[in-house]
Amino acid sequence: MKARVHVMLKNGVLDPQGEAVRHALGAMGFEKVTGVRQGKVIDLELADGATEADVAEMCEKLLANTVIERYEIELV
Amino acid sequence: MKARVHVMLKNGVLDPQGEAVRHALGAMGFEKVTGVRQGKVIDLELADGATEADVAEMCEKLLANTVIERYEIELV
């Protein structure tokens, strides 16, 4: 089983990495880009019997800082 | 229009960040995790008229290092 986890900064939390990308794209002539948010994607390879609840626990305990980040789990 | 870009290390390229996450999860008792790959996700907010080809050009020129990374574009 595979799971894909997206960890993004919560809305309202400043994203300097995304801002830097937006500025760089603008400077390169990509003027149609109006906003950029950058986050992490973590692909997990799981043994049989692992559940989405296990993955949520991993996110809460290690993968995301839930004070400023939100996560989405997608089972593949 | 929105686009989501995933930038992952190519298969075969060592991923020390993913390995560190795998070790940490194992040490925390999540023994069902057999592999971890970590990458970036970049959410782009685009003005009307932008195309998938524009996003591919951004990936080639800035967002991904195509020597060691591959990218996937998803229009939302």
Side-chain angles (χ1 to χ4, degrees), chain A residues 56-69:
Chain A
E57 201 185 335
M58 293 176 209
C59 290
E60 293 285 339
K61 290 193 176 164
L62 182 77
L63 303 179
N65 173 357
T66 53
V67 177
I68 55 168
E69 292 172 328

Side-chain angles (χ1 to χ4, degrees), chain A residues 1-2 6 8 16-17 21-22 24-27 29-30 32 35 40 43 48 56 62 64 69:
Chain A
M1 191 176 105
K2 286 184 183 195
H6 288 113
M8 305 292 292
Q17 220 174 354
V21 171
R22 193 175 65 82
L25 287 172
F30 295 107
K32 284 177 179 157
K40 287 178 287 189
D43 283 344
D48 290 344
L62 182 77
E69 292 172 328

Side-chain angles (χ1 to χ4, degrees), chain B residues 14-55:
Chain B
L14 204 68
D15 177 5
Q17 220 175 353
E19 272 305 284
V21 171
R22 193 175 65 82
H23 276 279
L25 287 171
M28 291 167 75
F30 295 108
E31 281 149 19
K32 283 176 180 157
V33 179
T34 57
V36 180
R37 301 287 282 178
Q38 185 169 332
K40 287 178 286 189
V41 55
I42 300 158
D43 283 344
L44 300 165
E45 195 90 45
L46 299 164
D48 289 345
T51 63
E52 184 163 347
D54 293 330
V55 180

Side-chain angles (χ1 to χ4, degrees), chain A:
Chain A
M1 191 176 105
K2 286 184 183 195
R4 172 162 272 192
V5 176
H6 288 113
V7 179
M8 305 292 292
L9 286 167
K10 286 180 178 172
N11 291 333
V13 177
L14 204 69
D15 178 4
Q17 220 174 354
E19 272 305 284
V21 171
R22 193 175 65 82
H23 276 278
L25 287 172
M28 290 168 75
F30 295 107
E31 281 151 19
K32 284 177 179 157
V33 179
T34 55
V36 180
R37 301 285 285 176
Q38 184 168 335
K40 287 178 287 189
V41 55
I42 301 159
D43 283 344
L44 300 164
E45 195 88 45
L46 299 164
D48 290 344
T51 63
E52 185 164 345
D54 294 331
V55 180
E57 201 185 335
M58 293 176 209
C59 290
E60 293 285 339
K61 290 193 176 164
L62 182 77
L63 303 179
N65 173 357
T66 53
V67 177
I68 55 168
E69 292 172 328
R70 63 191 163 75
Y71 58 87
E72 294 158 29
I73 299 167
E74 200 181 307
L75 298 182
V76 192

Side-chain angles (χ1 to χ4, degrees), chain B residues 3 11 16 26 36 44 46-47 56-57 59-60 67 74:
Chain B
N11 291 332
V36 180
L44 300 165
L46 299 164
E57 201 184 337
C59 290
E60 293 286 338
V67 177
E74 201 180 306

